[in-house]
Amino acid sequence: MLIELHARPILQSLESTRVEREQLLARIHRAGYRTLVDHVTVGPLKLSFTRIEDPNRVLDEVAAREDLRERLAEKRTPGDALGLPYWAELWDSSQGVGQYLTQVLNGGRAARVMDLGCGMGFTGMVSAALGAEVLMVDLERPALLFARLNGLQYSKSVRARQMNWRVDRLEEKFDLIIGADILYEKTQWVYQEPFWRHHLTREGTVLLAEPGRQTGDLFLNWIKGKGWELERFAEIVPTRAQPIRLMRLRMV
């Protein structure tokens, strides 16, 4: 009887998770996105990750719609307002961050983590698998559907929320803010830096990753004058010849 009483809430929880997963997948498929489940290894972790089947097709479709809209309106949309679905790609930087997190979070105390620009939720999922309490944040609603889906297996410790780092703020602090491949637009740095500062605990860390673009070089010089302590690392990932560049920031 005792075993049955303990088993019942577990079974109910599993059923609830299954139903929610089916509902999220149905919403994703109704929106026109085809999905694929990858079984990935990140350090000691073996995870299931649901992603866009063909991100290039999604990008091409959005670009084509935008081009048609501009031709009809006879007006060009600024680059930072295009809303291109960069979230639909699992970037090498996310994998580099995931590998690094298995070294710094695994076996440690539970951390409060914000996965900023979370995309489909890969680094947030890894953080949750390592015991962190995670808030996945993105501007794009479709990305958050995938983030919620991939975080379901850790639903007690994962939240997902739409936010715009230009204007939105929360009244909570995080031990770690992750940003995988969010530095590619220089115009966003002046919004990202105060956003990090507002949401970071006094002893907290911002962990950024990018693949070695010229904008990454420029960011290194730019951030030095903003009152942050900077450390640099490299993380080798199996999907590319050159390592991912990691930057760890702490407030001075």
Side-chain angles (χ1 to χ4, degrees):
M1 178 64 69
L2 185 61
I3 294 175
E4 181 182 344
L5 290 175
H6 280 283
R8 191 174 301 160
I10 294 173
L11 291 173
Q12 290 172 345
S13 177
L14 290 173
E15 176 62 14
S16 175
T17 298
R18 184 190 65 79
V19 170
E20 189 172 356
R21 178 176 177 81
E22 289 178 354
Q23 291 173 341
L24 284 168
L25 274 173
R27 291 178 64 185
I28 288 168
H29 293 156
R30 281 198 304 271
Y33 300 112
R34 300 173 185 172
T35 58
L36 181 68
V37 177
D38 279 341
H39 299 285
V40 295
T41 299
V42 186
L45 303 175
K46 296 186 184 301
L47 305 170
S48 294
F49 179 71
T50 303
R51 62 173 177 84
I52 292 281
E53 182 183 60
D54 186 355
N56 288 329
R57 182 182 66 84
V58 174
L59 181 60
D60 290 345
E61 288 175 354
V62 172
R65 287 197 300 268
E66 183 60 29
D67 182 63
L68 176 61
R69 191 198 66 78
E70 288 179 346
R71 284 191 280 113
L72 292 174
E74 297 184 347
K75 183 179 179 181
R76 201 73 186 164
T77 303
D80 61 356
L82 282 175
L84 294 176
Y86 297 124
W87 61 266
E89 180 72 61
L90 176 59
W91 299 103
D92 297 328
S93 296
S94 295
Q95 299 180 63
V97 169
Q99 290 178 186
Y100 180 76
L101 290 177
T102 64
Q103 304 167 38
V104 297
L105 288 181
N106 199 18
R109 68 179 181 86
R112 291 164 294 174
V113 173
M114 176 189 284
D115 183 5
L116 182 60
C118 66
M120 293 180 287
F122 183 80
T123 53
M125 178 184 70
V126 172
S127 300
L130 294 168
E133 298 176 8
V134 182
L135 176 64
M136 298 184 185
V137 170
D138 207 285
L139 180 62
E140 303 296 336
R141 289 185 181 275
L144 293 171
L145 289 176
F146 280 87
R148 291 188 176 101
L149 182 67
N150 285 310
L152 266 182
Q153 53 197 315
Y154 313 103
S155 57
K156 291 185 179 179
S157 57
V158 173
R159 296 173 290 151
R161 178 174 181 142
Q162 184 181 32
M163 289 185 70
N164 182 340
W165 58 47
R166 289 187 177 216
V167 295
D168 295 332
R169 298 292 184 270
L170 299 174
E171 294 307 315
E172 58 181 304
K173 303 287 186 180
F174 298 85
D175 304 305
L176 176 63
I177 298 175
I178 300 167
D181 229 333
I182 65 172
L183 300 176
Y184 52 86
E185 287 186 3
K186 294 188 290 184
T187 56
Q188 299 300 319
W189 300 347
V190 294
Y191 301 105
Q192 291 167 345
E193 191 270 342
F195 184 93
W196 302 333
R197 193 176 292 276
H198 177 86
H199 290 99
L200 202 63
T201 61
R202 190 65 191 90
E203 302 300 322
T205 301
V206 179
L207 180 63
L208 304 171
E210 63 92 35
R213 297 188 183 95
Q214 184 181 16
T215 48
D217 297 329
L218 296 173
F219 176 80
L220 289 171
N221 292 323
W222 182 86
I223 197 65
K224 288 177 182 176
K226 301 297 180 182
W228 294 85
E229 176 186 299
L230 170 67
E231 294 179 82
R232 297 170 56 182
F233 307 87
E235 189 72 34
I236 297 173
V237 296
T239 51
R240 69 193 312 263
Q242 299 300 317
I244 294 299
R245 176 161 52 187
L246 298 179
M247 292 168 269
R248 190 166 65 190
L249 305 178
R250 289 193 176 95
M251 291 186 289
V252 176

